Amino acid sequence: MILSTERLLPDAQGYARAAEILHEGGRVAFPTETVYGLGGDARNDMAVAGIFEAKGRPRFNPLIVHVESAQAAQAYVAWSDLAERLARAFWPGPLTMVLPLKPDTGLSPLVTAELPTLAIRVPAHPVAQALLRTFGGPVAAPSANPSGRISPTLAAHVLAGLDGRIEAVLDGGACDVGVESTILGLADGPVLLRPGGIAAEEIEAVIGAPVGHHAEGSAISAPGQLASHYAPGASVRLNAETRQDGELLLGFGPVACDLNLSPKGDLREAAANLFGHLHALDGQGADAIAVSPIPDTGLGRAINDRLRRAAAPRPGTDRP
Ligand code: TXA
Ligand code: MG
């Protein structure tokens, strides 16, 4: 669908409109001190699915949640003395901490890609701060570029890649850091998951010990890259036109089925429903879940990526 992307200015009217769009489940690109982020309400499945759709991300990578303060962060993650020290030293600023996710936070499972951890940060850019305060909730935001393209540091870069694909961009001029935040894993010992706006040495100075290092991508995406991941208890059969004996059918489009990802065949709606529907069918005690064919275009590629992992042979079992 082609949208008319609103250009918003960083004034009271612009913030109010941006917050309204976020409350409605829309996407607003906004400046942070690192790069422009593509924001959506982190509690809204459709909003988060819409972020992946606009970026054309082939896979549901977990997203960073942006909040206005360290205190707000503690509603979502298990806090620690170390997290407190790092927050005092570097927040607001370009440090993302990966911490254990608290139960029942109300965040969309698409945000964490169902990992038991959450990446969270408090951006320092005054426009990001004002937006978060006006909106009053958690904003999930990857960099505001089409998947595989370079990250945007100007509203014009955002529009070059995403004009007509997102509801609005809040123009706050150039981002001064220009590279993404440093991602530090704290769930099991401090590990540098992605180098970024804050040097490892600065972090080590605060921690008082060396941090472990991981090549970019490897540690971060490892859980999602395992062939068998996100697997429900039931076995999963893909590209099913009909239901076989003992199967529950997860449909897509106008088909007779047990649960439908999107009766009207909308990929964004299907992505928003994917995890919830798999859990629901699993919860019905299905031995096997058959899934209708999903077009392998746009958000369908991310859905199929995830479904293939759910259907893959599982280590340690003889079940397909
Ligand atoms: O500076 C930034 O961090 C920018 C601005 C917009 O805040 N955002 C950004 O987001 O770079 P994105 O989606 O392009 O990169 C987020 C990275 C991904 O590599 C993802 O795998 C990792 O964070 N990530 C998210 N949640 C994670 C988790 N629970 N554990 C490990 N890595 C995680
Ligand atoms: Mg990115």
Side-chain angles (χ1 to χ4, degrees), residues 30 32 34-38 55 57 61-64 66 94 96 98-99 111-112 115-119 121 123 141-145 151 179-183 193-194 216-217 219-221:
F30 64 98
T32 79
T34 59
V35 299
Y36 273 73
L38 181 57
K55 285 181 65 82
R57 257 201 191 179
N61 273 340
L63 301 179
I64 297 171
H66 298 68
T96 295
V98 175
L99 289 160
V111 167
T112 53
L115 292 172
T117 53
L118 177 69
R121 83 179 187 98
S143 48
N145 50 293
S151 293
V179 296
E180 286 90 343
S181 61
T182 301
I183 303 182
L193 298 176
R194 177 178 76 181
E216 182 170 9
I220 294 174
S221 44

Short mmCIF file of all heavy atoms in Angstrom, two decimals, residues 30 32 34-38 55 57 61-64 66 94 96 98-99 111-112 115-119 121 123 141-145 151 179-183 193-194 216-217 219-221, ligand 1:
data_model
loop_
_atom_site.label_atom_id
_atom_site.label_comp_id
_atom_site.label_asym_id
_atom_site.label_seq_id
_atom_site.Cartn_x
_atom_site.Cartn_y
_atom_site.Cartn_z
N PHE A 30 12.12 8.74 13.48
CA PHE A 30 12.52 9.86 14.34
C PHE A 30 14.04 9.83 14.55
O PHE A 30 14.66 8.76 14.49
CB PHE A 30 11.78 9.79 15.69
CG PHE A 30 12.11 8.58 16.51
CD1 PHE A 30 13.05 8.65 17.54
CD2 PHE A 30 11.50 7.36 16.27
CE1 PHE A 30 13.38 7.52 18.30
CE2 PHE A 30 11.82 6.24 17.02
CZ PHE A 30 12.75 6.31 18.03
N THR A 32 17.52 9.79 16.45
CA THR A 32 18.19 9.57 17.74
C THR A 32 19.60 10.12 17.55
O THR A 32 19.97 10.52 16.45
CB THR A 32 18.25 8.08 18.14
OG1 THR A 32 19.30 7.44 17.43
CG2 THR A 32 16.92 7.37 17.90
N THR A 34 22.17 8.47 17.36
CA THR A 34 22.96 7.55 16.53
C THR A 34 22.53 7.63 15.07
O THR A 34 23.26 8.12 14.23
CB THR A 34 22.83 6.11 17.05
OG1 THR A 34 21.46 5.70 17.02
CG2 THR A 34 23.39 5.97 18.45
N VAL A 35 21.34 7.14 14.80
CA VAL A 35 20.76 7.15 13.45
C VAL A 35 19.26 7.36 13.62
O VAL A 35 18.74 7.33 14.74
CB VAL A 35 21.01 5.80 12.72
CG1 VAL A 35 22.51 5.53 12.54
CG2 VAL A 35 20.34 4.63 13.43
N TYR A 36 18.56 7.60 12.50
CA TYR A 36 17.09 7.66 12.59
C TYR A 36 16.55 6.26 12.85
O TYR A 36 17.02 5.27 12.28
CB TYR A 36 16.48 8.20 11.28
CG TYR A 36 16.40 9.72 11.24
CD1 TYR A 36 17.55 10.49 11.08
CD2 TYR A 36 15.17 10.37 11.40
CE1 TYR A 36 17.47 11.88 11.07
CE2 TYR A 36 15.09 11.76 11.39
CZ TYR A 36 16.24 12.52 11.23
OH TYR A 36 16.16 13.88 11.23
N GLY A 37 15.58 6.19 13.75
CA GLY A 37 14.92 4.93 14.05
C GLY A 37 13.54 4.91 13.41
O GLY A 37 12.94 5.96 13.17
N LEU A 38 13.04 3.71 13.11
CA LEU A 38 11.67 3.57 12.60
C LEU A 38 10.82 3.06 13.76
O LEU A 38 10.85 1.87 14.08
CB LEU A 38 11.64 2.60 11.42
CG LEU A 38 10.26 2.40 10.79
CD1 LEU A 38 9.66 3.73 10.35
CD2 LEU A 38 10.35 1.44 9.62
N LYS A 55 10.44 -2.16 6.30
CA LYS A 55 11.87 -2.37 6.04
C LYS A 55 12.13 -3.50 5.06
O LYS A 55 13.23 -3.63 4.54
CB LYS A 55 12.61 -2.69 7.35
CG LYS A 55 12.83 -1.50 8.26
CD LYS A 55 13.59 -1.90 9.51
CE LYS A 55 15.01 -2.38 9.26
NZ LYS A 55 16.02 -1.32 9.10
N ARG A 57 12.28 -6.57 5.97
CA ARG A 57 13.21 -7.47 6.67
C ARG A 57 12.81 -8.92 6.41
O ARG A 57 11.67 -9.30 6.67
CB ARG A 57 13.17 -7.23 8.18
CG ARG A 57 14.34 -6.45 8.66
CD ARG A 57 14.58 -6.63 10.15
NE ARG A 57 15.57 -5.62 10.56
CZ ARG A 57 16.01 -5.47 11.78
NH1 ARG A 57 15.57 -6.23 12.76
NH2 ARG A 57 16.88 -4.54 12.06
N ASN A 61 14.23 -10.16 13.16
CA ASN A 61 15.28 -9.85 14.13
C ASN A 61 14.64 -9.19 15.34
O ASN A 61 13.74 -8.38 15.16
CB ASN A 61 16.24 -8.82 13.56
CG ASN A 61 17.36 -9.44 12.78
OD1 ASN A 61 17.65 -10.61 12.94
ND2 ASN A 61 17.95 -8.64 11.92
N PRO A 62 15.15 -9.47 16.53
CA PRO A 62 14.62 -8.72 17.66
C PRO A 62 14.96 -7.23 17.54
O PRO A 62 15.97 -6.86 16.94
CB PRO A 62 15.32 -9.36 18.85
CG PRO A 62 16.54 -10.03 18.31
CD PRO A 62 16.22 -10.40 16.89
N LEU A 63 14.10 -6.40 18.09
CA LEU A 63 14.26 -4.94 17.98
C LEU A 63 14.66 -4.34 19.32
O LEU A 63 14.40 -4.91 20.38
CB LEU A 63 12.94 -4.30 17.55
CG LEU A 63 12.36 -4.77 16.21
CD1 LEU A 63 11.05 -4.05 15.94
CD2 LEU A 63 13.36 -4.52 15.09
N ILE A 64 15.26 -3.16 19.25
CA ILE A 64 15.59 -2.41 20.45
C ILE A 64 14.37 -1.60 20.89
O ILE A 64 13.73 -0.93 20.07
CB ILE A 64 16.78 -1.46 20.19
CG1 ILE A 64 18.03 -2.28 19.82
CG2 ILE A 64 17.05 -0.57 21.41
CD1 ILE A 64 19.20 -1.43 19.33
N HIS A 66 12.96 1.55 22.93
CA HIS A 66 13.42 2.86 23.38
C HIS A 66 12.46 3.39 24.44
O HIS A 66 11.24 3.39 24.23
CB HIS A 66 13.47 3.84 22.21
CG HIS A 66 14.43 3.42 21.13
ND1 HIS A 66 14.22 2.29 20.35
CD2 HIS A 66 15.61 3.94 20.71
CE1 HIS A 66 15.24 2.15 19.50
NE2 HIS A 66 16.09 3.15 19.70
N PRO A 94 24.12 6.40 23.57
CA PRO A 94 24.14 5.30 22.59
C PRO A 94 24.62 3.96 23.14
O PRO A 94 25.48 3.32 22.56
CB PRO A 94 25.05 5.82 21.49
CG PRO A 94 25.93 6.80 22.17
CD PRO A 94 25.17 7.39 23.31
N THR A 96 22.98 0.27 24.26
CA THR A 96 21.82 -0.63 24.38
C THR A 96 22.22 -1.77 25.31
O THR A 96 23.27 -2.38 25.12
CB THR A 96 21.41 -1.18 23.00
OG1 THR A 96 20.96 -0.10 22.20
CG2 THR A 96 20.30 -2.22 23.13
N VAL A 98 21.24 -5.48 26.87
CA VAL A 98 20.39 -6.66 26.71
C VAL A 98 20.28 -7.33 28.07
O VAL A 98 21.27 -7.79 28.62
CB VAL A 98 20.96 -7.62 25.65
CG1 VAL A 98 20.12 -8.90 25.58
CG2 VAL A 98 21.01 -6.94 24.28
N LEU A 99 19.07 -7.33 28.61
CA LEU A 99 18.82 -7.80 29.98
C LEU A 99 17.67 -8.81 29.96
O LEU A 99 16.88 -8.85 29.01
CB LEU A 99 18.44 -6.60 30.86
CG LEU A 99 19.59 -5.62 31.17
CD1 LEU A 99 19.05 -4.26 31.60
CD2 LEU A 99 20.49 -6.21 32.26
N VAL A 111 8.74 -8.14 19.08
CA VAL A 111 9.84 -7.25 19.46
C VAL A 111 11.06 -8.06 19.88
O VAL A 111 12.19 -7.75 19.49
CB VAL A 111 9.42 -6.31 20.61
CG1 VAL A 111 10.64 -5.61 21.21
CG2 VAL A 111 8.43 -5.28 20.12
N THR A 112 10.85 -9.09 20.67
CA THR A 112 11.97 -9.87 21.21
C THR A 112 12.25 -11.10 20.36
O THR A 112 13.18 -11.84 20.68
CB THR A 112 11.65 -10.34 22.64
OG1 THR A 112 10.39 -11.01 22.61
CG2 THR A 112 11.61 -9.18 23.60
N LEU A 115 12.81 -14.17 22.32
CA LEU A 115 13.98 -14.43 23.17
C LEU A 115 13.60 -14.11 24.62
O LEU A 115 12.69 -13.33 24.87
CB LEU A 115 15.15 -13.53 22.75
CG LEU A 115 15.79 -13.80 21.39
CD1 LEU A 115 16.79 -12.71 21.07
CD2 LEU A 115 16.45 -15.17 21.38
N PRO A 116 14.33 -14.70 25.59
CA PRO A 116 14.05 -14.39 27.00
C PRO A 116 14.69 -13.08 27.45
O PRO A 116 14.69 -12.75 28.63
CB PRO A 116 14.65 -15.58 27.73
CG PRO A 116 15.74 -16.08 26.85
CD PRO A 116 15.33 -15.76 25.43
N THR A 117 15.30 -12.35 26.50
CA THR A 117 15.99 -11.10 26.84
C THR A 117 15.39 -9.96 26.03
O THR A 117 14.71 -10.18 25.03
CB THR A 117 17.48 -11.21 26.51
OG1 THR A 117 17.62 -11.62 25.15
CG2 THR A 117 18.19 -12.19 27.44
N LEU A 118 15.67 -8.74 26.47
CA LEU A 118 15.19 -7.56 25.75
C LEU A 118 16.34 -6.57 25.60
O LEU A 118 17.08 -6.32 26.55
CB LEU A 118 14.05 -6.89 26.53
CG LEU A 118 13.50 -5.60 25.92
CD1 LEU A 118 12.75 -5.89 24.63
CD2 LEU A 118 12.56 -4.91 26.91
N ALA A 119 16.48 -6.03 24.39
CA ALA A 119 17.45 -4.96 24.14
C ALA A 119 16.74 -3.64 24.39
O ALA A 119 15.68 -3.38 23.83
CB ALA A 119 17.96 -5.05 22.71
N ARG A 121 17.16 0.78 25.38
CA ARG A 121 18.03 1.94 25.58
C ARG A 121 17.23 3.22 25.75
O ARG A 121 16.05 3.29 25.38
CB ARG A 121 19.06 2.09 24.46
CG ARG A 121 18.61 2.78 23.18
CD ARG A 121 19.80 2.82 22.22
NE ARG A 121 19.56 3.61 21.02
CZ ARG A 121 19.94 4.88 20.85
NH1 ARG A 121 20.56 5.53 21.83
NH2 ARG A 121 19.70 5.52 19.73
N PRO A 123 17.47 6.92 24.46
CA PRO A 123 18.21 7.78 23.53
C PRO A 123 18.39 9.19 24.08
O PRO A 123 17.55 9.68 24.84
CB PRO A 123 17.32 7.79 22.28
CG PRO A 123 15.96 7.48 22.77
CD PRO A 123 16.12 6.62 24.00
N ALA A 141 12.26 0.33 17.77
CA ALA A 141 12.80 1.02 16.60
C ALA A 141 14.10 0.44 16.11
O ALA A 141 15.12 0.56 16.77
CB ALA A 141 12.99 2.51 16.91
N PRO A 142 14.06 -0.18 14.92
CA PRO A 142 15.31 -0.48 14.22
C PRO A 142 15.73 0.76 13.45
O PRO A 142 15.01 1.77 13.46
CB PRO A 142 14.90 -1.59 13.25
CG PRO A 142 13.47 -1.25 12.92
CD PRO A 142 12.88 -0.59 14.16
N SER A 143 16.88 0.73 12.82
CA SER A 143 17.26 1.86 11.99
C SER A 143 16.25 2.01 10.84
O SER A 143 15.70 1.02 10.35
CB SER A 143 18.67 1.65 11.45
OG SER A 143 18.82 0.35 10.91
N ALA A 144 15.99 3.26 10.45
CA ALA A 144 14.89 3.56 9.52
C ALA A 144 15.34 3.48 8.07
O ALA A 144 15.20 4.43 7.31
CB ALA A 144 14.31 4.94 9.84
N ASN A 145 15.88 2.32 7.69
CA ASN A 145 16.32 2.11 6.33
C ASN A 145 15.71 0.81 5.81
O ASN A 145 15.44 -0.09 6.60
CB ASN A 145 17.85 2.00 6.27
CG ASN A 145 18.39 1.01 7.29
OD1 ASN A 145 18.30 1.24 8.49
ND2 ASN A 145 18.91 -0.11 6.83
N SER A 151 22.26 2.84 7.04
CA SER A 151 21.41 3.49 8.03
C SER A 151 21.30 4.99 7.75
O SER A 151 22.24 5.61 7.26
CB SER A 151 21.98 3.27 9.43
OG SER A 151 21.89 1.92 9.77
N VAL A 179 26.68 6.35 13.95
CA VAL A 179 26.68 4.88 13.94
C VAL A 179 25.74 4.42 15.04
O VAL A 179 25.47 5.16 16.00
CB VAL A 179 28.07 4.24 14.16
CG1 VAL A 179 29.01 4.59 13.04
CG2 VAL A 179 28.64 4.66 15.52
N GLU A 180 25.26 3.20 14.90
CA GLU A 180 24.29 2.68 15.86
C GLU A 180 24.88 2.55 17.26
O GLU A 180 26.11 2.58 17.44
CB GLU A 180 23.76 1.33 15.40
CG GLU A 180 22.79 1.41 14.23
CD GLU A 180 23.48 1.33 12.88
OE1 GLU A 180 24.71 1.52 12.83
OE2 GLU A 180 22.77 1.08 11.90
N SER A 181 23.98 2.33 18.19
CA SER A 181 24.39 2.18 19.59
C SER A 181 25.26 0.94 19.78
O SER A 181 25.16 -0.04 19.03
CB SER A 181 23.15 2.08 20.48
OG SER A 181 22.38 0.95 20.12
N THR A 182 26.08 0.99 20.79
CA THR A 182 26.83 -0.18 21.26
C THR A 182 25.83 -1.11 21.95
O THR A 182 25.04 -0.65 22.78
CB THR A 182 27.91 0.25 22.27
OG1 THR A 182 28.78 1.17 21.61
CG2 THR A 182 28.70 -0.94 22.80
N ILE A 183 25.87 -2.39 21.61
CA ILE A 183 24.96 -3.34 22.28
C ILE A 183 25.77 -4.21 23.22
O ILE A 183 26.72 -4.90 22.81
CB ILE A 183 24.20 -4.22 21.27
CG1 ILE A 183 23.41 -3.35 20.28
CG2 ILE A 183 23.26 -5.17 22.02
CD1 ILE A 183 22.59 -4.14 19.28
N LEU A 193 28.03 -7.19 22.08
CA LEU A 193 27.33 -7.86 20.99
C LEU A 193 27.42 -7.07 19.69
O LEU A 193 27.34 -7.64 18.61
CB LEU A 193 25.86 -8.07 21.36
CG LEU A 193 25.60 -8.96 22.57
CD1 LEU A 193 24.11 -9.02 22.89
CD2 LEU A 193 26.13 -10.37 22.31
N ARG A 194 27.55 -5.76 19.80
CA ARG A 194 27.75 -4.94 18.59
C ARG A 194 28.53 -3.71 19.00
O ARG A 194 28.12 -2.99 19.91
CB ARG A 194 26.40 -4.51 18.00
CG ARG A 194 26.55 -3.60 16.77
CD ARG A 194 25.21 -3.21 16.15
NE ARG A 194 24.52 -2.20 16.94
CZ ARG A 194 23.31 -1.71 16.63
NH1 ARG A 194 22.67 -2.16 15.57
NH2 ARG A 194 22.75 -0.79 17.38
N GLU A 216 30.16 -9.17 15.24
CA GLU A 216 28.82 -8.64 15.01
C GLU A 216 27.97 -9.69 14.31
O GLU A 216 28.40 -10.34 13.38
CB GLU A 216 28.88 -7.38 14.16
CG GLU A 216 27.49 -6.80 13.95
CD GLU A 216 27.51 -5.42 13.32
OE1 GLU A 216 28.58 -4.98 12.89
OE2 GLU A 216 26.45 -4.80 13.27
N GLY A 217 26.75 -9.80 14.76
CA GLY A 217 25.84 -10.74 14.11
C GLY A 217 25.86 -12.11 14.74
O GLY A 217 24.83 -12.67 15.01
N ALA A 219 26.70 -13.56 17.81
CA ALA A 219 26.02 -13.79 19.09
C ALA A 219 24.60 -13.25 19.05
O ALA A 219 23.69 -13.84 19.59
CB ALA A 219 26.78 -13.11 20.21
N ILE A 220 24.44 -12.11 18.36
CA ILE A 220 23.15 -11.45 18.37
C ILE A 220 22.07 -12.30 17.72
O ILE A 220 21.02 -12.52 18.28
CB ILE A 220 23.26 -10.10 17.63
CG1 ILE A 220 24.17 -9.17 18.43
CG2 ILE A 220 21.89 -9.46 17.44
CD1 ILE A 220 24.47 -7.87 17.74
N SER A 221 22.40 -12.80 16.53
CA SER A 221 21.32 -13.47 15.81
C SER A 221 21.38 -14.98 15.96
O SER A 221 20.56 -15.66 15.39
CB SER A 221 21.35 -13.06 14.34
OG SER A 221 22.67 -13.09 13.88
O1 TXA B 1 21.46 3.12 17.54
C1 TXA B 1 20.66 2.18 17.47
O2 TXA B 1 20.76 1.17 18.18
C2 TXA B 1 19.52 2.31 16.46
C3 TXA B 1 18.64 3.46 16.92
C4 TXA B 1 17.41 3.62 16.07
O3 TXA B 1 18.31 3.29 18.28
N1 TXA B 1 18.77 1.09 16.33
C5 TXA B 1 19.28 -0.02 15.73
O4 TXA B 1 18.40 -1.07 15.63
O5 TXA B 1 20.41 -0.10 15.30
P1 TXA B 1 18.61 -2.33 14.65
O6 TXA B 1 17.31 -3.07 14.65
O7 TXA B 1 19.12 -1.89 13.34
O8 TXA B 1 19.65 -3.20 15.41
C6 TXA B 1 19.28 -3.85 16.60
C7 TXA B 1 20.21 -4.96 16.91
C8 TXA B 1 20.04 -6.15 15.99
O9 TXA B 1 21.31 -6.58 15.53
C9 TXA B 1 19.41 -7.19 16.90
O10 TXA B 1 19.76 -8.50 16.52
C10 TXA B 1 19.95 -6.80 18.26
O11 TXA B 1 19.93 -5.40 18.23
N2 TXA B 1 19.09 -7.26 19.35
C11 TXA B 1 17.84 -6.87 19.61
N3 TXA B 1 17.33 -7.54 20.66
C12 TXA B 1 18.30 -8.38 21.08
C13 TXA B 1 18.41 -9.35 22.13
N4 TXA B 1 17.38 -9.60 22.95
N5 TXA B 1 19.56 -10.00 22.26
C14 TXA B 1 20.59 -9.75 21.44
N6 TXA B 1 20.55 -8.87 20.43
C15 TXA B 1 19.44 -8.19 20.25
#
